[in-house]
Amino acid sequence: MRKRLLLIGGGLVALAALVAGGGYIAYKAGLFRSTKTERGQTLGVNEASTPQAAPRRRTQPSWPVFRYDAFRTGFNPGAHARPPFSVVWKRGLYRDGYLEAPAVTADGVIVYASYGKSFGSDLFAADALKGRLLWHKHFRHPANFAGSPGIGGGRAYITSHDGNIRVYDLRTGRLAWRMKIAAAESPPIVAGNLVYFGDGPSGGGDGHFRAVDVRTHRVVWSYRAAGNISSGAALTRTTAYFSSYGGSVYALDRFTGRLRWRTAVQGPSGGSVPFYSTPALAGGNLILGGNDGSIYALDARTGSQRWRSGGSGYVYSSAAVWHGRAFIGDFGGSFHALSVRTGNELWSKQLGPILGSATVIDGIVYISALRPATTYGFDARTGREVWRFPDGQFSPIIADEGDVWLVGKAHVYRLAERRARAAPGGPLPGVDW
């Protein structure tokens, strides 16, 4: 009897060890959901499953906000330029500094901002097709720009570490209005009469996400998050989504600020996951990178975790989404192509450390690496490299129809298909890629 009990006990111990090992493997694969969701006014439908309307043909280039659109997809379906490219024009900075955030363009104007503590930061607006500088603003520290501008209604919006959101006439650079709220680097997005952004980078702000009326310049609503916010908002018809350094992802009614859901995410080690990444919406999912080195997908309606995919370093990047695929890089240098539905890896590349976010143009996904400072183009389906450019640390290509711009470390370039006729003045000699 004693021998039988010992055998049974030993079997139970072995079974427990097997279950524990399998459980750990399953957790690493993201099969167990280590999240806690608080729900408020949850919608009956998943608005992130609704396809976005095809853009109307424009006479002027348009990539008006960080990640192109309200879903923050990083994909412009109206852009069709393909490499190899020639450089049509190239603009540098006036002072010491670098271009940390992607440019935006609308109504024939491209707007971009530099970050520099020694001599301050600069905001530029240039003719998007010809490269001619239209206006320029210089600011001393601490008015540093770490996020992309946003364009809406013929005006350029930008947040700053000095606590101001500044709004300029897009063509003239005239200050339309300025509002001091809190230190911020969240990329603003304008929808209707509201501009949305968060605050609270390290050393300033207090972790509020706000909607401000662009006509009255008054805060319509403000929501206090757990932790600082660098994320921008992804928007559906009724909902605003963002993430915070406090380890949570939020969905709010975008007109009232009332909570739809809040999901606190724990990583594989069991700790709270800080988020810098701006969410992207696709296939009913909200996809974003975590500072624990993982990529997460949450149900956009309920906030429940759908999958987790492990990376090789913290993920500041935002995902680009295209035809059921999500593309995102990590600081360990891995660039991932994942299934939007399951999170399974479709292909990957090992590059230098990645901080910026990918974009997809006509079936080619572009990503920049810090070291060496290079922008790569890969076939979005297969991962085959089709192009590379010797600049671009944080921000790859933005494009519309046949027009392409690339933001390097300290230069902005307009590129043209080599076979296409370039703008007046022609491409720069000896700089074809």
Side-chain angles (χ1 to χ4, degrees):
M1 182 72 177
R2 178 180 172 84
K3 184 176 181 180
R4 183 184 302 172
L5 289 174
L6 288 172
L7 288 172
I8 293 173
L12 289 174
V13 169
L15 179 62
L18 181 64
V19 169
Y24 177 76
I25 294 171
Y27 182 83
K28 289 290 284 184
L31 299 180
F32 295 157
R33 310 308 183 203
S34 185
T35 61
K36 182 179 180 181
T37 301
E38 171 192 355
R39 294 194 175 99
Q41 297 178 320
T42 305
L43 291 174
V45 297
N46 192 323
E47 293 182 336
S49 298
T50 305
Q52 297 185 88
R56 293 177 293 178
R57 185 171 181 84
R58 294 173 289 267
T59 57
Q60 297 284 7
S62 183
W63 188 295
V65 293
F66 176 65
R67 315 304 297 137
Y68 174 68
D69 57 8
F71 275 27
R72 306 289 194 170
T73 62
F75 165 54
N76 181 351
H80 302 292
R82 296 175 68 88
F85 296 121
S86 296
V87 175
V88 179
W89 56 256
K90 172 183 176 181
R91 290 202 63 90
L93 304 179
Y94 287 160
R95 299 172 178 84
D96 180 33
Y98 57 93
L99 297 164
E100 182 175 344
V104 292
T105 180
D107 300 328
V109 180
I110 184 168
V111 182
Y112 53 98
S114 70
Y115 184 101
K117 289 187 176 180
S118 298
F119 297 98
S121 296
D122 295 272
L123 182 65
F124 301 90
D127 184 300
L129 299 182
K130 298 179 181 179
R132 178 174 58 88
L133 186 67
L134 300 177
W135 51 267
H136 159 244
K137 308 291 181 182
H138 175 68
F139 303 90
R140 295 181 179 179
H141 179 73
N144 301 315
F145 304 126
S148 285
I151 297 174
R155 291 175 172 176
Y157 295 74
I158 191 163
T159 58
S160 170
H161 284 181
D162 71 353
N164 287 285
I165 180 169
R166 294 177 171 89
V167 185
Y168 297 94
D169 183 275
L170 183 60
R171 291 200 168 274
T172 67
R174 181 183 62 83
L175 181 67
W177 55 276
R178 177 175 63 89
M179 186 176 185
K180 191 172 180 74
I181 298 179
E185 57 188 35
S186 172
I189 183 169
V190 179
N193 294 318
L194 299 178
V195 56
Y196 300 87
F197 58 96
D199 66 51
S202 180
D206 54 6
H208 279 86
F209 206 90
R210 295 176 173 86
V212 175
D213 192 303
V214 301
R215 302 162 301 176
T216 64
H217 318 153
R218 294 182 177 178
V219 176
V220 175
W221 58 259
S222 176
Y223 184 91
R224 178 69 180 269
N228 296 335
I229 301 167
S230 290
S231 162
L235 304 177
T236 62
R237 185 172 58 85
T238 69
T239 306
Y241 302 88
F242 65 94
S243 64
S244 82
Y245 273 103
S248 292
V249 184
Y250 299 83
L252 308 179
D253 183 305
R254 73 180 183 92
F255 302 108
T256 67
R258 296 188 66 177
L259 182 71
R260 295 208 187 284
W261 53 259
R262 168 193 173 184
T263 295
V265 180
Q266 288 187 331
S269 65
S272 179
V273 178
F275 290 102
Y276 179 94
S277 178
T278 293
L281 301 175
N285 286 348
L286 179 151
I287 302 170
L288 75 170
N291 287 13
D292 67 329
S294 300
I295 300 100
Y296 293 89
L298 307 181
D299 185 295
R301 186 182 73 85
T302 66
S304 61
Q305 184 178 319
R306 287 185 168 178
W307 52 258
R308 182 190 68 82
S309 179
S312 61
Y314 59 80
V315 187
Y316 267 27
S317 302
S318 300
V321 291
W322 174 85
H323 292 204
R325 297 166 172 84
F327 305 94
I328 193 164
D330 60 51
F331 198 71
S334 297
F335 183 57
H336 311 270
L338 307 173
S339 165
V340 166
R341 185 174 63 86
T342 66
N344 291 338
E345 190 162 86
L346 305 175
W347 55 262
S348 67
K349 296 289 180 180
Q350 191 64 33
L351 311 175
I354 297 170
L355 285 176
S357 304
T359 57
V360 184
I361 305 299
D362 201 32
I364 298 175
V365 57
Y366 298 92
I367 188 66
S368 296
L370 284 173
R371 296 184 296 272
T374 306
T375 300
Y376 300 87
F378 300 104
D379 184 297
R381 289 184 173 85
T382 67
R384 179 178 63 90
E385 184 179 324
V386 297
W387 180 78
R388 67 171 62 186
F389 188 88
D391 198 357
Q393 288 192 318
F394 301 102
S395 172
I397 277 177
I398 65 171
D400 189 41
E401 296 185 354
D403 302 305
V404 176
W405 299 268
L406 184 146
V407 174
K409 180 181 179 181
H411 293 87
V412 177
Y413 307 81
R414 182 190 165 207
L415 308 179
E417 289 182 316
R418 191 177 296 172
R419 65 179 178 270
R421 189 174 69 180
L428 298 179
V431 282
D432 287 356
W433 286 276

